[in-house]
């Protein structure tokens, strides 16, 4: 067996007998300073170990969420009626989707952007609207209305069917023969003097611009059905319906008969709502205000493309000089929705993260007519994907941030609100860096050993200096 003395010979920490050591006041002071220094440096190292550090890099986009990108939006148009508001999507690969409705909702709003009712549903859109064949000379049997006699006439008849038109309008000129024929037949069937239940009238919007604006007419022709007693007097406008069916004489007469016939059953009770199945298909409540809030989402390909909002109809004409595409972007973002709490948690990784994912939120783009007519408002959006990875390689969050530049342009065509988006082929990768526990322990040992050693050296120097000074004072030679 190895003797005890041989084992003791490898002792690195040989002990000095206590009787051979001397405690000094300077040594005690240095010991306290050394202990406090160790404690302070240990706290700094612990804080550094617990703190999260990240590495940011730029790499080629390696998206795992497919070839499509979700685009969420909520935009208010104070001067665009929900009746004609259309959301269109196109891209450089040839995609061209017109009047997207499946994932879009519309709400009528007033000039202060406040909703005025429930969700707006437009009438059934016909792929082809029938008209009478032109050829016969038109005899005008409908009553012409102006701002002076409009309210008087509408209060005189239980049902008033009014055609708001413009003489230059192509669709209005197609409607004119059948409208006048229908007016003649209805007048013969329901004589205004003897029967007094219905009248067909018309308003020239080029002559009565204020009257048409008051009734929120934006497309021509617009056929409105006014029912006596359904006026919203407090808001100084009429609550009415729009007709979306065929425009031949037979269809118009059939529509009017369907409105009038229920009235004679209860002569003292006005028919404020038609319950017939035919009416439900061709008659829908008209917008009571001239604005529209459009909200929802679309899925677009990850290539340069456009989201456009404009007035669109396959059977109406629009006066581009009267169209105002002013809007307020309530919300616009790309990618999956991220909860606010998630963004708050991510701030510890990157303080700037999430500051540009909804850059346009709350920004108004209003044309007060000082820019003139036919003004298109364009937004150019450049999108960059940001991905945050945990130290183990798992993705914590994927978000899309964008920059936005807006401008206005004058056009000879119908003005639009246009959002041009382009996705960067690069992405920002933020990776969480982990700190090893062994590295932390090594640093702690280095702190303790280093401070102890330095303090020992200082104590030795201080002790030798003080000893030397005492010898000099005693006058000893050495």
């Amino acid at each position: 067996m190895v003797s005890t003395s041989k084992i003791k010979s490898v002792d690195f920490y040989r002990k000095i007998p206590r009787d051979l050591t001397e405690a000094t006041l300077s040594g005690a002071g240095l010991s306290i300073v050394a202990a406090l220094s160790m404690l302070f440096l240990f706290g700094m190292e612990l804080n550094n170990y617990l703190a999260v550090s990240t590495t940011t890099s730029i790499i080629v986009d390696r998206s795992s969420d497919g070839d499509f990108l979700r685009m969420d939006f909520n935009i208010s148009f104070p001067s665009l009626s929900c009746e004609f508001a259309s959301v269109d999507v196109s891209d450089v690969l040839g995609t061209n989707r017109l009047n997207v409705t499946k994932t879009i909702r519309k709400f009528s709003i007033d000039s202060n952007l406040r909703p005025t009712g429930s969700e707006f549903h437009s009438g059934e859109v016909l792929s082809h609207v029938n008209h009478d064949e032109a050829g016969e000379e038109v005899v005008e049997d409908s009553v012409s209305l102006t701002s002076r006699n409009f309210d008087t006439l509408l209060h005189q008849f239980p049902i008033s069917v009014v055609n708001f038109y413009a003489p230059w309008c192509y669709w209005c000129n197609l409607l004119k023969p059948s409208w006048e024929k229908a007016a003649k037949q209805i007048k013969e069937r329901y004589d205004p003097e003897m029967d007094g239940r219905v009248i067909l009238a018309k308003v020239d919007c080029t002559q009565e611009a204020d009257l048409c604006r008051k009734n929120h007419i934006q497309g021509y022709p617009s056929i409105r059905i006014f029912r006596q007693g359904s006026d919203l007097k407090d808001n100084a406008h009429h609550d009415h319906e729009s007709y979306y069916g065929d425009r031949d004489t037979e269809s118009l007469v059939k529509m009017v008969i369907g409105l009038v016939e229920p009235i004679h059953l209860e002569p003292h009770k006005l028919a404020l709502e038609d319950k017939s199945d035919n009416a439900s298909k061709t008659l829908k409540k008209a917008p009571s205000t001239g604005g529209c809030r459009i909200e929802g989402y679309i899925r677009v390909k990850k290539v340069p493309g456009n989201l456009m909002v404009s007035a669109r109809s396959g059977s109406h004409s629009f006066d581009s000089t009267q169209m105002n595409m002013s809007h307020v972007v309530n919300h616009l973002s790309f990618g999956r929705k991220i909860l606010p709490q998630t963004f708050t948690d991510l701030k510890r990784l990157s303080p700037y993260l999430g500051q540009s994912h909804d850059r346009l939120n709350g920004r108004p783009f209003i044309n007060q007519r000082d820019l003139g007519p036919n003004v298109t408002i364009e937004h150019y959006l450049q999108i960059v994907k940001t991905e945050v990875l945990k130290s183990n390689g798992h993705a914590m969050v994927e978000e899309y941030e964008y920059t936005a530049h807006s401008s206005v342009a004058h056009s000879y065509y119908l003005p639009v609100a246009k959002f041009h988006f382009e996705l960067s082929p690069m992405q920002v990768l933020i990776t969480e860096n982990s700190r090893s526990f062994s590295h932390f322990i090594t640093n702690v040992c280095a702190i303790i050993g280093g401070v102890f050693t330095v303090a020992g050296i200082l104590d030795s120097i201080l002790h030798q200096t003080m000893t030397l000074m005492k010898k000099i004072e005693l006058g000893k030679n050495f």
Side-chain angles (χ1 to χ4, degrees):
M1 292 182 64
V2 181
S3 64
T4 305
S5 60
K6 289 185 177 181
I7 295 176
K8 288 181 179 181
S9 66
V10 299
D11 183 8
F12 293 162
Y13 309 102
R14 302 197 175 206
K15 310 301 184 295
I16 300 175
R18 189 176 184 84
D19 294 340
L20 300 178
T21 61
E22 179 184 3
T24 63
L25 189 61
S26 61
L30 277 175
S31 297
I32 295 174
V33 172
L36 293 176
S37 299
M38 290 179 188
L39 186 62
F40 173 75
L41 293 175
F42 173 78
M44 294 287 290
E45 182 63 26
L46 179 62
N47 180 68
N48 188 41
Y49 173 72
L50 296 177
V52 178
S53 63
T54 60
T55 301
T56 301
S57 56
I58 306 295
I59 63 173
V60 175
D61 188 4
R62 58 180 189 183
S63 298
S64 59
D65 51 358
D67 298 327
F68 289 88
L69 178 64
R70 176 174 171 138
M71 181 177 183
D72 289 271
F73 56 90
N74 183 323
I75 309 172
S76 296
F77 292 83
S79 301
L80 177 64
S81 173
C82 287
E83 187 176 12
F84 301 113
S86 172
V87 178
D88 308 328
V89 180
S90 62
D91 61 42
V92 295
L93 295 181
T95 301
N96 193 19
R97 291 185 288 161
L98 302 179
N99 196 20
V100 179
T101 58
K102 186 175 182 180
T103 57
I104 306 297
R105 303 176 68 192
K106 302 175 186 177
F107 298 86
S108 294
I109 59 175
D110 58 21
S111 58
N112 296 318
L113 309 184
R114 293 189 297 257
T116 58
S118 57
E119 181 180 355
F120 179 86
H121 297 279
S122 61
E124 180 181 358
V125 178
L126 301 179
S127 58
H128 175 71
V129 178
N130 294 322
H131 295 81
D132 286 350
E133 294 184 3
E136 299 181 12
E137 184 177 352
V138 178
V139 178
E140 298 190 4
D141 283 287
S142 59
V143 179
S144 294
L145 298 181
T146 66
S147 57
R148 293 186 297 274
N149 65 353
F150 186 82
D151 289 329
T152 302
L153 191 79
L154 262 58
H155 283 84
Q156 183 178 345
F157 292 88
I159 299 293
S160 300
V161 186
V162 183
N163 171 25
F164 294 87
Y165 73 99
W168 51 262
C169 167
Y170 168 78
W171 296 102
C172 297
N173 292 324
L174 284 181
L175 171 63
K176 186 174 181 180
S178 54
W179 183 259
E180 299 301 339
K181 289 178 185 177
K184 182 179 180 181
Q185 293 184 25
I186 293 299
K187 184 184 293 184
E188 293 174 352
R189 186 182 182 108
Y190 306 105
D191 183 81
E193 300 293 335
M194 302 299 295
D195 189 288
R197 285 182 289 176
V198 66
I199 190 171
L200 266 66
K202 59 188 176 184
V203 176
D204 183 351
C205 287
T206 61
Q207 300 296 323
E208 300 293 336
D210 291 338
L211 179 59
C212 293
R213 193 176 300 111
K214 177 182 176 182
N215 286 278
H216 314 295
I217 304 301
Q218 296 183 5
Y220 310 106
S222 290
I223 301 176
R224 299 285 199 256
I225 293 89
F226 296 87
R227 301 174 187 270
Q228 186 188 63
S230 63
D231 304 55
L232 300 181
K233 297 179 180 178
D234 293 338
N235 295 326
H237 65 259
H238 296 274
D239 188 18
H240 48 269
E241 297 162 296
S242 292
Y243 173 71
Y244 295 98
D246 287 322
R247 297 173 184 166
D248 58 281
T249 304
E250 182 181 354
S251 299
L252 292 172
V253 171
K254 185 177 179 181
M255 178 267 294
V256 176
I257 292 175
L259 294 171
V260 177
E261 288 303 317
I263 296 179
H264 77 278
L265 299 176
E266 297 181 75
H268 300 292
K269 183 177 180 181
L270 302 178
L272 298 181
E273 183 179 359
D274 185 26
K275 299 296 184 179
S276 66
D277 293 337
N278 180 62
S280 64
K281 295 179 180 180
T282 59
L283 298 182
K284 293 292 181 181
K285 181 177 174 60
S288 57
T289 54
C292 187
R293 188 181 79 232
I294 304 173
E295 62 181 53
Y297 72 92
I298 56 173
R299 289 171 57 81
V300 297
K301 293 180 180 178
K302 293 182 178 179
V303 296
N306 299 291
L307 168 71
M308 292 182 291
V309 180
S310 63
R312 179 181 297 278
S313 173
S315 56
H316 294 80
S317 298
F318 302 95
D319 184 356
S320 60
T321 62
Q322 299 298 318
M323 301 301 297
N324 186 345
M325 298 307 297
S326 297
H327 56 272
V328 176
V329 180
N330 304 310
H331 176 76
L332 178 64
S333 64
F334 296 88
R336 299 186 184 95
K337 288 186 176 181
I338 302 177
L339 298 176
Q341 182 61 40
T342 303
F343 274 124
T344 303
D345 296 339
L346 291 176
K347 291 296 183 182
R348 64 187 182 90
L349 293 177
S350 180
Y352 60 83
L353 196 65
Q355 293 181 358
S356 300
H357 82 286
D358 53 2
R359 179 177 290 269
L360 286 179
N361 281 21
R363 292 186 58 184
F365 301 90
I366 306 298
N367 176 15
Q368 300 288 3
R369 296 294 182 182
D370 54 334
L371 300 175
N374 292 34
V375 174
T376 288
I377 303 177
E378 299 182 359
H379 307 279
Y380 185 74
L381 313 177
Q382 291 181 299
I383 311 164
V384 179
K385 180 182 178 182
T386 300
E387 185 175 5
V388 181
L389 298 181
K390 291 183 178 180
S391 56
N392 57 10
H394 293 144
M396 292 179 62
V397 69
E398 294 180 353
E399 67 141 355
Y400 291 85
E401 301 195 347
Y402 63 88
T403 60
H405 302 277
S406 304
S407 65
V408 296
H410 291 269
S411 172
Y412 292 106
Y413 304 101
L414 202 64
V416 302
K418 184 177 182 180
F419 297 82
H420 175 78
F421 51 87
E422 184 172 349
L423 189 66
S424 171
M426 311 302 288
Q427 76 170 68
V428 179
L429 187 65
I430 301 176
T431 307
E432 181 182 9
N433 298 327
S434 61
R435 298 287 300 274
S436 66
F437 184 71
S438 60
H439 183 73
F440 169 70
I441 293 298
T442 301
N443 285 354
V444 170
C445 291
I447 289 172
I448 296 173
V451 172
F452 185 84
T453 302
V454 170
I457 294 174
L458 292 176
D459 179 64
S460 177
I461 294 173
L462 184 61
H463 180 70
Q464 293 296 332
T465 301
M466 293 180 69
T467 302
L468 180 62
M469 291 178 66
K470 286 181 180 180
K471 287 182 178 181
I472 293 173
E473 289 177 359
L474 295 174
K476 295 182 179 180
N477 296 323
F478 56 92

